[in-house]
Amino acid sequence: MPLSHRWTLTRYLIEERRRFPQASGDLNALLLDVSLACKAIARVVAFGELGDSLGQAAMAQGGGINVQGEEQKHLDVISNEIFLRMNGWNGHLAGLASEEMELPRQIEGAYPRGKYLLVFDPLDGSSNIDVNVSVGSIFSILRAPQAVVDSGRDVTEADFLQPGTTQVAAGYAIYGPTTMLMLTVGNGVAGFTLNPNLGEFVLTHPKIRVPEDTPEFAINSSNSRFWEPPVKRYVDECLAGRTGPRGKDFNTRWIASLVAEAHRILMRGGVFLYPRDTKDPTKPGRLRLLYEANPVGFLMEQAGGRASTGRQPVLGVTASALHQRVGFVFGSRNEVERIERYHQEPSGPDRGNPLFAERGLFRN
Ligand code: MN
Ligand code: MN
């Protein structure tokens, strides 16, 4: 299709806004600044070793270990700075929060404060960067509480602790062979491909739908000894293949990068599990609710897929801390619903189903 026939991200946002004549346009302007940050990060990532930005962050650069106790790469710090710099000035935000910062960031005094909150994982999958595997940036936009907007006061952690159902927009950019932006403003999911000549995101994947069924599942099986019985049961049944209770063969996938897994699932279906497990009882899951599970969950639900903790829809969870972790299962609707069903059914050797007792799937 000739380029002139395709919509740019700007046009998509304008056409979406026309459905809401009362909308101010602030959200569109904010999303364009977020997309600019993603384009800037895509350039830094693309230069790789040539750009002198790989490797561990030095303490002098404000890096080292982040608030999660995880190693911070130099690129994590650079990407965080790009997000802050490109979104802090525009007057649409009341505050920002990031994986890389323990506390919310205030809008600096010289700039006006707006009505939205931006929460982001500036560089997801950064542990994969040294092996040239796709990385990405994930973002979620919330409304600031009215009291914050009215008073113009500083934001606090509590202002960000909203359930994912309140998200106004969410998405991610993926820096792979091509740079893409996947976005929802609450009316389906649209995918844009960066045209490197124009520096524009161009709509290439309108109205993305996640297939309801899938033969692919993704889970870090090295944690299998820590899985809870419903997860063990699900994986055992998939592995049993055609001769097991599912009656069909499955394939496994594991990239260990949330953005890359979410992208594969948006493109062709699949189910991803990083469930709550017994490895470290202080951590209810691995992924972070506000800037990983919520935005990816919003995209999945808007594409007809499903996103869950295993026990409840992930978008229904109200965060109790900015960096809260959560068990996360998402993707093709019928598989996620099956996993939720397994969590509701009684489990253990006494769950009274002779079929499964006989197969020993629940033996500890
Ligand atoms: Mn991440
Ligand atoms: Mn990250």
Side-chain angles (χ1 to χ4, degrees):
M1 190 188 291
L3 182 67
S4 55
H5 293 198
R6 292 198 190 271
W7 287 10
T8 60
L9 173 62
T10 307
R11 175 155 184 198
Y12 174 84
L13 291 172
I14 289 172
E15 300 277 0
E16 280 297 308
R17 185 189 153 202
R18 282 186 180 146
R19 301 187 304 118
F20 302 98
Q22 73 285 6
S24 64
D26 286 10
L27 180 65
N28 284 4
L30 173 58
L31 284 168
L32 288 173
D33 284 336
V34 170
S35 78
L36 181 59
C38 293
K39 286 190 276 192
I41 295 168
R43 291 315 297 154
V44 176
V45 168
F47 274 89
E49 196 66 38
L50 297 173
D52 202 24
S53 54
L54 295 192
Q56 292 307 119
M59 296 306 283
Q61 291 154 336
I65 303 290
N66 74 7
V67 291
Q68 323 291 323
E70 288 162 354
E71 282 184 355
Q72 227 173 2
K73 302 275 187 181
H74 191 182
L75 270 180
D76 288 320
V77 178
I78 292 173
S79 303
N80 194 55
E81 286 298 319
I82 289 174
F83 255 86
L84 293 174
R85 203 166 59 234
M86 295 202 169
N87 293 288
W89 63 274
N90 57 28
H92 304 310
L93 291 177
L96 307 89
S98 156
E99 179 186 27
E100 305 299 336
M101 304 183 297
E102 184 176 3
L103 298 170
R105 177 66 61 99
Q106 309 299 336
I107 301 301
E108 285 170 29
Y111 301 120
R113 296 183 175 191
K115 62 187 178 210
Y116 295 110
L117 301 172
L118 177 62
V119 198
F120 54 96
D121 177 352
L123 198 63
D124 175 76
S126 58
S127 64
N128 284 334
I129 196 114
D130 296 326
V131 291
N132 207 4
V133 166
S134 293
V135 292
S137 305
I138 313 176
F139 58 89
S140 164
I141 295 172
L142 301 164
R143 256 180 247 287
Q146 196 58 43
V148 173
V149 180
D150 291 344
S151 66
R153 69 159 164 79
D154 281 0
V155 289
T156 64
E157 179 173 1
D159 297 326
F160 290 83
L161 306 183
Q162 308 179 26
T165 47
T166 65
Q167 292 173 103
V168 178
Y172 64 80
I174 181 167
Y175 315 120
T178 58
T179 291
M180 293 189 69
L181 180 77
M182 312 302 278
L183 176 70
T184 181
V185 291
N187 181 35
V189 176
F192 303 82
T193 303
L194 182 66
N195 178 321
N197 292 336
L198 295 176
E200 284 277 359
F201 280 112
V202 179
L203 180 61
T204 46
H205 296 69
K207 296 188 174 66
I208 290 168
R209 301 300 292 174
V210 174
E212 290 185 0
D213 293 293
T214 178
E216 290 184 343
F217 70 100
I219 190 166
N220 181 353
S221 61
S222 71
N223 287 327
S224 61
R225 68 190 184 281
F226 304 114
W227 292 341
E228 295 178 331
V231 173
K232 275 200 169 98
R233 174 185 174 190
Y234 177 76
V235 173
D236 282 346
E237 290 182 7
C238 289
L239 294 177
R242 201 175 315 171
T243 57
R246 298 298 306 273
K248 67 170 185 175
D249 291 335
F250 286 78
N251 286 310
T252 56
R253 296 284 182 271
W254 186 251
I255 312 173
S257 165
L258 178 64
V259 160
E261 307 273 2
H263 195 66
R264 183 188 66 252
I265 289 171
L266 277 184
M267 290 293 103
R268 69 176 194 208
V271 63
F272 170 97
L273 304 92
Y274 214 123
R276 192 178 86 179
D277 61 31
T278 60
K279 190 175 186 176
D280 179 352
T282 64
K283 289 181 183 172
R286 170 80 174 73
L287 295 167
R288 275 60 59 96
L289 179 57
L290 288 179
Y291 42 83
E292 292 182 319
N294 275 345
V296 170
F298 193 17
L299 288 167
M300 290 295 149
E301 298 269 342
Q302 284 290 316
R306 192 166 172 84
S308 175
T309 65
R311 291 170 171 76
Q312 67 175 116
V314 81
L315 299 184
V317 178
T318 300
S320 54
L322 200 54
H323 300 287
Q324 179 180 334
R325 296 173 192 265
V326 71
F328 194 24
V329 176
F330 66 85
S332 293
R333 171 166 292 275
N334 289 338
E335 293 301 307
V336 177
E337 284 177 353
R338 173 183 289 271
I339 294 162
E340 289 177 311
R341 219 159 49 232
Y342 289 3
H343 279 84
Q344 283 152 18
E345 288 171 9
S347 62
D350 57 343
R351 62 186 261 273
N353 185 329
L355 176 67
F356 292 102
E358 181 188 36
R359 286 168 184 267
L361 291 168
F362 286 88
R363 247 166 245 155
N364 288 324

